[in-house]
Amino acid sequence: MIDISPSVMQFLLAFIVVAPLLGAATALPPAPPGLRGSGPDQAVLRHGVTVTGVILVAAIVLALGFDHDQPSRMQATTDISWIAALDVRIHLGVDGISLPLLVLTALLTFLCALYSYFKPPAGPSPRAFVALLLVLESGTLATFAVLDLLLFFLAFEMVLIPMYFLIARWGGAERQAAAWKFILYTLLGSVVMLLGLLLVGLHAGTFDMVALATDNGSGLSKSVQVTAVLAIGIGLAVKTPMWPLHSWLPDAHTAAPTVGSVLLAGVMLKMGTYGFVRIVLPIAPDGMRTFAPYLAAFAVVGIIYGSLACLALARRGAGGDLKRLIAYSSVGHMGFVLLGIASMTPTGVNGALFANVAHGLITGLLFFLVGALKDRYGTADLDTLAGATGAALYGRAPRLGGLLAFAAVASLGLPGLAGFWGEMLAMFGAFDPAPGLSRPAFLTFTAIACFGTLLTAAYLLIVVRRVCMGATRPAAGAEETGPAPELADVQGYELAAWTPLVALTVLAGLWPAVLLGLTDPVVQKLLAGGKS
């Protein structure tokens, strides 16, 4: 780690949040002739790589300057009055919970910009695409950096419009319907969430998240807490997404361009679960305790439902889309995150935060790989990939097949990779929940979640067998087409975009203390009412 002055740290965090907006504004005008390279499209895509690269460097420097001996202390803080009448402040800060998510967001956005430079998505103006990508990055980073409830809501909503247009303008088939479904679900959930945030702020007399967490709900009656948790929880659950509020997700992922799916799964879903830990758990603990068993029940239903949906899509002859399958897998994986949060224990919440980051790395890689397969085959249909075309990636494109198998086994929670620790700790937390919660109920939830891990392994191994090892016979209704066409293996730009995700998945799996050492002191402090 390096010694950086507080003023520089403060500047770095503010720069990380604001710089993408400046980059988006400068992406819209045409590039000067001398900077165009082979053309204006290449120039603006290069601009996107440059801006996201600078933000990633700033995020890494911020992480290096972060005081890892005091991760529970808010660092790099900015606190300026904005709307004095409501005591709304421009309050920014980073601690051991938000730092990993800031770095993950900066990394995935840079990798998406790099990938798009070499493989631009089919659609209208690249200038608009880069600008929307940067606005999306700014909103996501702000969500993890702000410490005021109303600013959190504004940042939370800021990402919706760019993602809507990325799906509607650069997506695939059924993109308009998927984009409308995405925006309607998330906007309706956000309206309810806003009411809950206003209820908390007006009753407590402040919207400051640090002050509210320190009070630990002492200024709010139980009825106010229960109402607030219900309202805020609905908005967060839509974004997570929690069963049965998940139905927008498979359509959005299936229609979205590759980089849209990567960012949607890798960072946007984390905004919901982050809100549960940052806002709901510490600010309204009594209300959370009331709803925790219901949250856990919905979580384990989501685990089983997502896994069964994936098994149905992976079945021979089902005509399942591989992108849709991974989207449904996210419903199951985020169920483990919600189960850990619902336990209200340090073990469970730490597991949820670890699973958050692991899911971002692994599912981001999976969507990159499926996008590459779709580019090569022209489809993500599993029967086409594994049937008449004779995929057999191990033999035809061994590096691509190996990476797909690696991402699949990481996603199913193989020990030694990142996917293992979060889900295991979440189930350990549910096995022995916080005082006041029904242990028999949570033991039942844990047993159901354990069964879900078996289902997860089943559908992912079926996908690997069918796509990487090929099919023994053509899919139902398919015709023999003779020898399979040539298939390009992993290209240089793909290797550059995917290698960091592979390396971090291995590193987090072998050295989980790096991440848990950051989150655990903060979780302990939040659950103890803001006291270290």
Side-chain angles (χ1 to χ4, degrees), residues 111 114-115 117-119 372 376 399 403 488-500:
L111 297 180
L114 180 65
Y115 186 86
Y117 178 77
F118 293 97
K119 190 72 178 178
R376 286 158 170 78
R399 288 190 291 274
L403 282 170
D489 209 340
V490 177
Q491 305 296 300
Y493 70 92
E494 294 172 327
L495 192 63
W498 304 341
T499 298

Side-chain angles (χ1 to χ4, degrees), residues 149 189 191-204 212 217 220-236 275-276 279-281 283-288 290-291:
L149 289 179
V191 169
V192 181
M193 184 177 75
L194 177 60
L195 296 177
L197 296 175
L198 291 173
L199 180 67
V200 169
L202 295 176
H203 274 79
L212 288 166
L220 303 172
S221 67
K222 184 171 181 180
S223 61
V224 170
Q225 289 193 37
V226 169
T227 306
V229 169
L230 179 61
I232 297 170
I234 288 173
L236 297 175
F276 274 107
I279 298 173
V280 178
L281 269 177
I283 293 176
D286 292 338
M288 180 64 186
T290 299
F291 283 107

Side-chain angles (χ1 to χ4, degrees), residues 124-279:
S125 167
R127 289 203 299 272
F129 173 81
V130 170
L132 290 169
L133 193 69
L134 292 171
V135 172
L136 177 64
E137 179 181 31
S138 180
T140 310
L141 291 168
T143 302
F144 300 134
V146 298
L147 298 173
D148 182 276
L149 289 179
L150 292 186
L151 278 183
F152 175 85
F153 175 78
L154 293 176
F156 198 83
E157 297 305 288
M158 184 177 167
V159 304
L160 301 184
I161 299 303
M163 182 54 72
Y164 167 82
F165 281 110
L166 285 174
I167 296 172
R169 303 297 299 276
W170 285 271
E174 306 296 330
R175 60 182 182 270
Q176 292 292 341
W180 275 111
K181 195 171 186 180
F182 162 76
I183 200 76
L184 288 175
Y185 261 82
T186 50
L187 278 178
L188 289 174
S190 297
V191 169
V192 181
M193 184 177 75
L194 177 60
L195 296 177
L197 296 175
L198 291 173
L199 180 67
V200 169
L202 295 176
H203 274 79
T206 180
F207 289 96
D208 187 87
M209 291 157 65
V210 176
L212 288 166
T214 303
D215 289 344
N216 203 221
S218 60
L220 303 172
S221 67
K222 184 171 181 180
S223 61
V224 170
Q225 289 193 37
V226 169
T227 306
V229 169
L230 179 61
I232 297 170
I234 288 173
L236 297 175
V238 170
K239 188 68 71 72
T240 297
M242 179 186 77
W243 181 93
L245 304 174
H246 69 283
S247 60
W248 61 270
L249 183 70
D251 292 340
H253 270 308
T254 304
T258 296
V259 295
S261 293
V262 171
L263 292 176
L264 181 58
V267 294
M268 281 187 63
L269 303 189
K270 314 302 173 283
M271 294 163 63
T273 50
Y274 172 79
F276 274 107
V277 176
R278 176 67 74 195
I279 298 173

Side-chain angles (χ1 to χ4, degrees), residues 64-77:
L64 293 175
F66 185 82
D67 185 354
H68 290 252
D69 293 329
Q70 301 183 66
S72 62
R73 179 175 63 86
M74 280 294 171
Q75 302 179 36
T77 55

